[in-house]
Amino acid sequence: TARCSLATLSVDLSRGKLGVKFFIRENMGINPAMDLGMATPAPRIRFGTRDEIETLVKVADHMGRPEIGDMVILGVWTGQRQADRMELEDRGLINRRRIFRQNKTGAIVAVLESPDLKRRLAAAEKRRRGARAQALLACEPGEREQIERRFRRVVLNELRHAQTKVIAWQPYQGKVYTRAFSEIRDAAVKGVRHKNGLDWIVRPCPTLADFHDADLRDTSVTWMALAGATIPEIISVTGHTAASANTILKHYLAQHPEMADAAIGKMMAWFDAGGETEIGL
């Protein structure tokens, strides 16, 4: 908290000085909140395993909240931030790339459509087809484009009203999604049993206890790296800076056995091919 407070103060002082709003008379005119040498907390890096991601999706579907499962798959297979995923509009498929448009900024996200993402988008379209048609039939003149745009959203809140059991099909607002994700995650930690109380529909996944939606973005970066993607390739999908992507990867991948196997495997192939150690000048 202290570090964040001083960082904010430093930015304010720097901007004020640059904008000639004031002068710093003491400290030789140098910003007194800069370069204090305060300890920087280690970044929180957490990525999901295949089992964790599959469990989250299964529980979301079982609990009648498939849009939460859609958000999980979107996070893994597009690498976009939570706020951006909630704003995405589906603009169709071009050259095997799924084209999304961010509702607020208008930014375009184009990603190669994975089979998992394709299945989730098709299922979501099927679920909302009837509601969309009904809304268009009942709309007033001039409302059609607004309704069309709302149903182009990749994710809409599918929670049924407690009394009417009707889905409003509206975009998520505020912290509503965060609470819904937490409910699904907590249920996934405990697992879901059959009515007989003995068999599991979805087995417990205790490791999900500390998992957050924001970790889906780290998951995307890490999975792409494990698949052999380079930093430039990864950031072209997720929009990270090269520095932030490196921060994510160096935290974990240096210890991952598959990365160690890949390194030795490449060295063996190089050695067997007669690789040279001399500069040869």
Side-chain angles (χ1 to χ4, degrees), residues 2 31 36 40 42 45 48 52 89 93 111 120 123 128 147 151 168 177 189 191 193 217 227 244 254 267 271 274 281:
N31 185 339
L36 297 180
T40 302
I45 306 295
E52 288 174 331
E89 294 179 359
L93 201 63
V111 294
R120 299 302 299 192
R128 66 179 64 178
I147 292 171
F151 278 95
Y177 169 75
V189 169
R193 286 190 182 274
R217 192 160 149 84
S244 59
M267 189 166 73
F271 185 82
L281 296 178

Side-chain angles (χ1 to χ4, degrees), residues 123-140:
E125 169 60 24
K126 185 177 180 180
R127 291 195 306 271
R128 66 179 64 178
R129 190 177 298 153
R132 173 180 170 274
Q134 187 175 1
L136 289 172
L137 284 172
C139 71
E140 298 292 333

Side-chain angles (χ1 to χ4, degrees), residues 94-136:
I94 300 176
N95 295 330
R96 297 192 302 137
R97 296 187 189 96
R98 181 59 62 172
I99 309 300
F100 300 113
R101 178 183 180 276
Q102 290 179 6
N103 182 58
K104 285 187 178 178
T105 65
I108 297 297
V109 177
V111 294
L112 193 66
E113 188 178 55
S114 71
D116 275 1
L117 182 57
K118 182 178 181 179
R119 283 192 292 269
R120 299 302 299 192
L121 293 176
E125 169 60 24
K126 185 177 180 180
R127 291 195 306 271
R128 66 179 64 178
R129 190 177 298 153
R132 173 180 170 274
Q134 187 175 1
L136 289 172

Side-chain angles (χ1 to χ4, degrees), residues 6 9-15 17 24 26-36:
L6 281 169
L9 177 61
S10 177
V11 170
D12 289 342
L13 289 172
S14 295
R15 286 180 174 173
K17 186 178 177 183
I24 299 174
E26 304 296 329
N27 199 37
M28 296 183 293
I30 299 172
N31 185 339
M34 286 183 65
D35 302 322
L36 297 180

Side-chain angles (χ1 to χ4, degrees), residues 39-132:
T40 302
R44 183 185 186 278
I45 306 295
R46 169 75 157 89
F47 81 97
T49 64
R50 290 185 66 158
D51 181 59
E52 288 174 331
I53 298 302
E54 289 170 2
T55 300
L56 280 172
V57 174
K58 287 178 182 176
V59 171
D61 289 345
H62 176 77
M63 293 180 66
R65 303 304 302 273
E67 80 278 16
I68 307 299
D70 294 347
M71 278 285 282
V72 171
I73 294 299
L74 274 172
V76 172
W77 290 103
T78 70
Q80 303 301 300
R81 296 176 180 86
Q82 179 192 118
D84 291 336
R85 276 178 276 137
M86 288 194 292
E87 292 286 336
L88 290 181
E89 294 179 359
D90 190 350
R91 293 289 176 159
L93 201 63
I94 300 176
N95 295 330
R96 297 192 302 137
R97 296 187 189 96
R98 181 59 62 172
I99 309 300
F100 300 113
R101 178 183 180 276
Q102 290 179 6
N103 182 58
K104 285 187 178 178
T105 65
I108 297 297
V109 177
V111 294
L112 193 66
E113 188 178 55
S114 71
D116 275 1
L117 182 57
K118 182 178 181 179
R119 283 192 292 269
R120 299 302 299 192
L121 293 176
E125 169 60 24
K126 185 177 180 180
R127 291 195 306 271
R128 66 179 64 178
R129 190 177 298 153
R132 173 180 170 274

